[in-house]
């Protein structure tokens, strides 16, 4: 039987200190509140910006599992219905090859691969879902000045909205402060970072032909272009180019940019017109060396910051919140210390198992599809042809998007058992 945690609760300001009131930090606070675990959430941004975040150009593809978690957290019903766009099919083009690789939800038992929604809608819904909750204390406009962790306590020194300095203490601290997490660095946890030397330009565009709820990923020499189908005759456009070119393209006037996108798409969506601002993001993928330490855990992009091409970042953030939240709820019921490594370690194991293959797989795909050498082009062609002819592989990818809980590979036909043969030079008993 685990020993019941008998620390002096009066020495703590809360049960869990969460740094970062982004989508991951707020989702964790909401999850913990359902288990009656108190949290203080600190964020550098002011309350008005957190409550009504401005559009940031990101449109987020949500898997079915993420949707299930969002429903449970009361986020889903807070998303404006007319902003939720179904994703029926995804099509991958390699250069001007007219035979694309197609994915749809057939065989998965679902009608769609997932849904798309603007990131600022997710942030706003996350903020609304924690309002008025007695177990959650969000402190906007709060700057973290330093943190310390000892055997008994995790503490953070910060400057609040009133300019005063305060030190907050809890048995556990969770960093959800973005892929460039300062808290991660302060806690002495390193991270593998991959700077792709590329940037994405993201924006919304209107078009005269319907998008049919089909996403397009087009790999061209020197750049890739993704089109994510949104509602109301609009799509989200994601252009990936080397960072020097991106900076120059970002300065193009709206008409030049729209004409370029239209030409790259071969006018498949008719006449394109820009809607709103263009946003520029440098592409840096991040994978923390550890997700937990005594009295400390990393979630969201602070743990795993994905390249956006496979649309996993926020989805992974929610999966991690689900796992960590369940462990902490179980620890609370059992009277265990929320910050002990014994409680946190299974999160590390499960989240690594979930994210590690996709993180490295995504980076490998990005490497292959952004290499303009003749060999890479030939390999891309081969990968697309092979993937198109392997229904099991396509179903596996589709199921990864459409599963509602933990992932299982589709069952393969049973292979005949081969007799075991001794290898030359080895003796077998
Ligand atoms: C172009 C693009 C497209 C994307 N598309 C998808 C997609 O289709 N699907 C998907 O799942 N994901 C996608 N993502 C990823 C997704 O946007 C992120 O994974 C998600 O926003 C991460 O949420 P987070 O809460 O972990 O971090 P963030 O959203 O970065 O929030 C961090 C919060 O911490 C606060 N903070 C930072 N430092 C401090 C500090 N020192 N003190 C206090 N507060 C601090 C910040 O103010 C912020 O509020 C995309 C990303 C990009 C760039």
């Amino acid at each position: 039987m685990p020993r019941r945690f008998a620390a002096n609760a009066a020495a703590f300001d809360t049960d869990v200190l969460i740094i970062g009131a982004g989508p991951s930090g707020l989702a964790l606070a909401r999850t913990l509140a359902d288990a009656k675990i108190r949290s203080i959430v600190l964020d550098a941004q002011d309350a008005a910006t957190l409550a009504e975040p401005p559009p940031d150009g990101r449109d987020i593809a949500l898997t079915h599992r993420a949707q299930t978690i969002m429903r449970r957290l009361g986020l889903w019903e807070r998303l404006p219905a007319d902003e939720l766009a179904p994703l029926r099919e995804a099509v991958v083009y390699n250069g001007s090859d007219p035979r694309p690789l197609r994915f749809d939800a057939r065989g998965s038992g679902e009608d769609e691969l997932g849904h798309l929604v603007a990131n600022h809608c997710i942030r706003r819904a996350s903020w609304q879902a924690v309002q008025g909750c007695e177990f959650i204390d969000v402190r906007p406009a709060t700057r973290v000045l330093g943190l310390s962790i000892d055997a008994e306590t995790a503490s953070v020194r910060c400057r609040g909205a009133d300019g005063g300095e305060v030190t907050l203490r809890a048995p556990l601290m969770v960093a959800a402060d973005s892929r460039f997490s300062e808290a991660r660095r302060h806690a002495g946890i390193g991270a593998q970072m991959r700077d792709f030397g590329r940037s994405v330009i993201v924006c919304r565009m209107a078009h005269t032909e319907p998008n049919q709820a089909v996403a397009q990923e087009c790999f061209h020499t020197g750049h890739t272009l993704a089109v994510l189908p949104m509602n109301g005759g609009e799509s989200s456009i994601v252009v990936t180019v080397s960072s020097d070119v991106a900076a120059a393209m970002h300065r193009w006037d709206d008409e030049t940019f729209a004409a370029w996108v239209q030409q790259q798409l071969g006018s498949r969506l008719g006449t394109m017109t820009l809607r709103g601002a263009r946003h520029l993001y440098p592409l840096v993928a991040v994978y923390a060396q550890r997700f937990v330490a005594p009295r400390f855990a990393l979630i969201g992009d602070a743990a795993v910051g994905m390249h956006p091409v496979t649309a996993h970042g926020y989805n992974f953030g929610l999966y991690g919140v689900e796992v960590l939240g369940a462990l902490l709820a179980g620890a609370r019921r059992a009277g265990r210390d929320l910050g002990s490594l014994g409680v946190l370690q299974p999160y590390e194991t499960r989240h690594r198992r979930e994210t590690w293959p996709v993180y490295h797989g995504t980076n490998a795909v990005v490497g292959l599809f952004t290499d303009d050498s003749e060999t890479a082009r030939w390999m891309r062609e081969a990968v697309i042809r092979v993937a198109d002819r392997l229904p099991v592989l396509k179903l596996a990818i589709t199921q990864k998007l459409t599963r509602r809980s933990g992932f299982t590979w589709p069952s393969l036909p049973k292979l005949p058992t081969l007799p075991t043969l001794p290898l030359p030079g080895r003796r077998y008993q």
Side-chain angles (χ1 to χ4, degrees):
M1 274 287 282
R3 196 164 57 87
R4 285 191 84 79
F5 183 49
N8 178 9
F12 296 132
D13 297 285
T14 190
D15 295 319
V16 182
L17 283 167
I18 301 173
I19 303 178
S24 307
L26 292 175
L28 181 66
R30 183 62 263 170
T31 304
L32 297 180
D34 291 340
K36 298 192 170 24
I37 297 174
R38 293 179 181 278
S39 62
I40 295 179
V41 191
L42 311 173
D43 202 288
Q45 297 187 64
D46 61 36
T49 311
L50 288 171
E52 204 52 66
D56 57 16
R58 302 184 200 185
D59 285 300
I60 305 291
L62 298 165
T63 63
H64 287 261
R65 181 175 167 195
Q67 292 171 37
T68 305
I69 299 172
M70 291 176 85
R71 282 202 176 86
R72 201 161 49 232
L73 297 180
L75 301 180
W76 190 257
E77 62 266 28
R78 288 188 162 87
L79 298 172
D82 57 346
E83 282 281 343
L84 271 170
L87 175 59
R88 210 170 41 76
E89 191 179 343
V91 182
V92 181
Y93 292 92
N94 181 31
S96 53
D97 189 334
R99 297 161 300 166
L101 175 62
R102 291 178 184 277
F103 296 96
D104 57 31
R106 261 175 297 179
S108 70
E110 300 287 351
D111 294 332
E112 309 95 9
L113 289 170
H115 278 87
L116 288 149
V117 70
N119 192 45
H120 71 276
C121 295
I122 294 177
R123 289 194 71 127
R124 187 172 54 209
S126 309
W127 172 262
Q128 289 170 356
V130 301
Q131 297 310 301
C133 176
E134 60 169 312
F135 292 96
I136 304 172
D137 172 2
V138 186
R139 303 206 183 168
T142 301
R143 283 238 140 251
V144 172
L145 303 173
L147 57 91
S148 80
I149 295 167
D150 61 31
E152 301 290 328
T153 315
S155 6
V156 61
R157 196 164 55 82
C158 45
R159 179 169 294 118
D162 59 1
E165 269 189 38
V166 61
T167 298
L168 300 167
R169 296 177 182 82
L172 173 65
M173 182 186 300
V174 177
D177 54 343
S178 86
R179 66 187 63 204
F180 302 112
S181 170
E182 279 177 30
R184 184 180 65 213
R185 195 173 321 115
H186 280 303
I189 297 181
Q192 190 186 89
M193 292 202 181
R194 179 152 173 202
D195 187 335
F196 292 92
R198 292 179 171 248
S199 298
V200 287
I201 299 172
V202 287
C203 61
R204 283 280 183 101
M205 294 188 86
H207 36 77
T208 50
E209 296 298 322
N211 57 36
Q212 319 271 17
V214 177
Q216 303 179 40
E217 184 80 50
C218 317
F219 293 97
H220 295 286
T221 307
H223 67 272
T224 63
L225 175 62
V227 181
L228 307 174
M230 307 306 294
N231 294 334
E234 290 188 9
S235 290
S236 180
I237 301 296
V238 186
V239 179
T240 309
V241 275
S242 69
S243 295
D244 54 336
V245 177
M249 278 182 90
H250 198 50
R251 289 192 293 273
W252 286 356
D253 62 54
D254 290 357
E255 290 70 30
T256 308
F257 183 81
W260 182 84
V261 172
Q262 183 177 325
Q263 185 236 329
Q264 293 301 313
L265 285 173
S267 295
R268 281 195 290 273
L269 291 177
T271 306
M272 312 282 300
T273 323
L274 203 78
R275 286 283 158 87
R278 280 173 271 158
H279 301 260
L280 186 70
Y281 293 94
L283 289 175
V284 181
V286 177
Y287 203 93
Q289 278 165 1
R290 284 180 287 146
F291 298 156
V292 301
R295 310 215 167 279
F296 189 78
L298 295 165
I299 60 167
D301 278 16
V304 182
M306 293 287 296
H307 187 295
V309 69
T310 49
H312 271 97
Y314 175 60
N315 292 288
F316 275 167
L318 285 179
Y319 302 170
V321 162
E322 185 180 46
V323 172
L324 183 60
L327 290 168
L328 294 175
R332 168 52 56 90
R333 280 194 300 276
R336 296 179 71 189
D337 176 357
L338 298 183
S340 73
L341 209 48
V343 167
L344 302 174
Q345 192 63 49
Y347 162 64
E348 162 97 35
T349 310
R350 288 186 217 166
H351 201 47
R352 193 166 289 275
R353 196 164 54 210
E354 178 82 53
T355 57
W356 195 91
V358 181
Y359 177 82
H360 288 283
T362 298
N363 291 354
V365 167
V366 170
L368 177 64
F369 280 87
T370 52
D371 182 341
D372 292 326
S373 71
E374 199 51 46
T375 320
R377 244 180 283 172
W378 178 85
M379 278 178 68
R380 282 204 288 272
E381 176 82 37
V383 165
I384 287 185
R385 291 282 74 78
V386 168
D388 205 31
R389 284 174 176 74
L390 277 181
V392 168
L393 177 63
K394 282 173 71 169
L395 186 59
I397 293 170
T398 304
Q399 286 194 351
K400 198 148 176 55
L401 298 171
T402 53
R403 73 187 157 135
R404 288 182 183 269
S405 57
F407 176 62
T408 43
W409 286 87
S411 48
L412 292 162
K414 209 167 169 358
L415 295 170
T417 315
L418 297 170
T420 314
L421 297 173
L423 291 172
R426 288 254 176 98
R427 285 183 50 218
Y428 289 79
Q429 302 301 320

